[in-house]
């Protein structure tokens, strides 16, 4: 028993010395981990600083782009027709005559039916200038009606102020802006937009199916960019093309450039 006890004591001493070596190794590993932790924290801070600097650069480029080349702003369309005002001032006309004349000026015969173009009390969003606008509600029926009318009407196009022209131009500019924003923000678009598709809106007259498909792709890309920059979801609408873009590039968007 005494020999067994001595043998056990010797083994315990060996275990104790080994435990001391393990403790020293553990402390050494802990010191190394603390150094790595401090280094990682410093690198993370440097990375965050670089991200903030990059975001500020992107934000500056985007604000410059949208203020010089692609300005987007809201245009009020609630102005009264000058002809209506002058007609109301004419005492020789009755109120019913004035209302009928005002209604006639805001009505167009397209594709075998009368279409009302009255947008009183509404607003539209312009891009690159107040003369190139899109309807605020995302209704592009004027383009469909114009294409259908062109199929049945012979002769040169004399309607220089046709809303279909401004719709196609505004969508073309919006597509160019979305492509440029995706490059600046380094965000991959879910719907690919090549150069042919960029010029599609300003090229030949599109059928309703092709036009609707192209607009849906554009709206999907705009929403994807808005989501990537954490634009307030309450402000977005899937059909409001230029309004969503306006919220995206607004200086009030806190996370623009992230």
């Amino acid at each position: 028993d005494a020999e067994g006890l001595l043998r056990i004591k010797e083994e315990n001493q060996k275990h104790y010395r080994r435990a001391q070596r393990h403790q020293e190794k553990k402390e050494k590993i802990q010191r190394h981990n603390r150094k790595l932790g401090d280094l990682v924290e410093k690198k993370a801070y440097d990375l965050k600083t670089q991200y903030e600097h990059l975001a500020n650069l992107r934000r500056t480029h985007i604000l410059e782009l949208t203020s010089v080349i692609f300005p987007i702003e809201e245009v009020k369309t609630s102005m009264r027709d000058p002809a209506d005002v002058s007609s109301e001032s004419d005492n020789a006309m009755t109120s019913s005559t004035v209302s009928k004349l005002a209604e006639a000026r805001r009505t167009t015969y397209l594709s075998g039916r009368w279409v009302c173009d009255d947008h009183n009390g509404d607003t539209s969003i312009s891009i690159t200038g107040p003369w190139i606008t899109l309807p605020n509600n995302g209704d592009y029926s004027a383009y469909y009606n114009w294409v259908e009318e062109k199929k049945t009407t012979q002769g040169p196009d004399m309607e220089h102020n046709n809303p279909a022209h401004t719709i196609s131009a505004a969508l073309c500019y919006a597509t160019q802006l979305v492509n440029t924003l995706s490059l600046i923000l380094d965000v991959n678009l879910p719907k690919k937009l090549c150069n042919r598709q960029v010029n599609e809106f300003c090229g030949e007259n599109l059928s309703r199916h092709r036009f609707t498909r192209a607009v849906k792709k554009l709206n999907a890309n705009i929403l994807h960019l808005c989501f990537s920059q954490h634009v307030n979801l309450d402000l977005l609408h899937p059909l409001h093309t230029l309004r969503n873009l306006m919220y995206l590039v607004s200086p009030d968007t806190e996370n623009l450039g992230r």
Side-chain angles (χ1 to χ4, degrees), residues 145-182:
N145 297 331
W146 175 69
V147 171
E148 294 176 1
E149 184 69 15
K150 288 294 293 179
K151 292 179 181 179
T152 58
T153 303
Q154 302 295 330
D157 182 14
M158 301 302 293
E159 299 177 0
H160 301 291
N161 295 326
N162 193 302
H165 296 159
T166 59
I167 288 176
S168 60
L171 291 174
C172 181
Y173 286 136
T175 305
Q176 293 176 351
L177 177 58
V178 168
N179 272 337
T180 307
L181 290 177
S182 68

Side-chain angles (χ1 to χ4, degrees), residues 224-254:
H224 182 74
L225 288 176
C226 291
F227 298 154
S228 71
Q229 303 306 300
H230 292 177
V231 178
N232 186 0
L233 299 181
D234 295 333
L235 301 176
L236 303 177
H237 190 283
L239 299 181
H240 296 175
T241 307
L242 287 186
R243 181 170 290 276
N244 293 341
L245 263 179
M246 182 177 68
Y247 288 137
L248 171 64
V249 300
S250 172
D252 298 331
T253 304
E254 298 179 357

Side-chain angles (χ1 to χ4, degrees), residues 1-10:
D1 292 340
E3 293 175 355
L5 180 62
L6 181 62
R7 188 166 54 252
I8 291 174
K9 287 182 179 180
E10 292 177 353

Side-chain angles (χ1 to χ4, degrees), residues 85-100:
V85 178
S86 62
S87 298
E88 290 178 358
S89 63
D90 190 352
N91 296 328
M93 292 187 178
T94 63
S95 59
S96 61
T97 305
V98 171
S99 61
K100 290 180 180 179

